Amino acid sequence: MGQILAIDYGKARCGLAVTDDMRIIASALQTVETKFLMGFLKKYFSENKVEDIVVGLPTDLKGNLSEVETDILKFIESFKIEFPAIQVHRLDERFTSKMASFFISQSGKSKKQRQEKGLIDRVSATIILQNFLEQRTR
């Protein structure tokens, strides 16, 4: 069985999280500048067996898609061409950034560490992935 990788896609940077090979534990992986995301994934996939990715679906409280969705759809289209064997899933990412900020604030990190946007992106990706894993077991 291969890993599942989650992407909290943003215009400037993307938070990444990944499961272990048994798909039990979701862990933060890295924050990557969006313009380097595809290159990072090529390298990561060459070194690790990834069978699925989960990309956050950015919606507001009313269920309307955020404007970054256009960029996400372009990314997914390119991703499917580059990696046709890897299954792409989408998952509503409402509140993940707020939840990530809350969890980070509770973690005992310094104020400077808590304000690092890359950390919020990684934790958001981890929450997306954990939610995806929980939905699959239901």
Side-chain angles (χ1 to χ4, degrees):
M1 199 177 327
Q3 299 174 348
I4 303 170
L5 183 134
I7 302 173
D8 180 30
Y9 192 96
K11 286 186 179 276
R13 70 193 162 277
C14 299
L16 305 174
V18 69
T19 65
D20 58 301
D21 289 335
M22 297 296 293
R23 298 180 171 201
I24 297 170
I25 299 167
S27 302
L29 178 62
Q30 193 160 336
T31 303
V32 177
E33 285 185 56
T34 301
K35 63 184 175 185
F36 300 125
L37 178 60
M38 195 62 84
F40 175 88
L41 294 175
K42 285 178 188 178
K43 183 174 184 328
Y44 188 83
F45 294 164
S46 72
E47 299 168 355
N48 299 276
K49 184 178 178 188
V50 176
E51 293 180 352
D52 298 88
I53 68 163
V54 182
V55 181
L57 183 66
T59 55
D60 64 18
L61 290 174
K62 295 180 181 177
N64 300 317
L65 292 172
S66 131
E67 65 183 56
V68 75
E69 178 65 9
T70 304
D71 296 329
I72 294 171
L73 291 174
K74 288 177 188 171
F75 163 75
I76 291 173
E77 192 175 305
S78 298
F79 182 91
K80 286 180 176 179
I81 292 167
E82 187 72 37
F83 307 105
I86 298 177
Q87 181 80 30
V88 178
H89 307 273
R90 301 296 305 273
L91 189 78
D92 188 342
E93 66 174 49
R94 255 180 283 199
F95 306 116
T96 55
S97 293
K98 286 185 178 21
M99 290 170 58
S101 295
F102 173 77
F103 292 140
I104 292 166
S105 73
Q106 299 300 304
S107 70
K109 296 207 178 283
S110 71
K111 184 174 182 178
K112 185 175 181 181
Q113 290 172 315
R114 289 193 311 261
Q115 291 175 336
E116 191 227 323
K117 291 182 191 281
L119 176 60
I120 293 171
D121 295 332
R122 289 189 302 277
V123 173
S124 293
T126 307
I127 293 168
I128 290 167
L129 185 52
Q130 186 62 47
N131 289 343
F132 180 77
L133 292 173
E134 288 171 6
Q135 282 187 3
R136 293 185 75 185
T137 59
R138 288 184 198 149

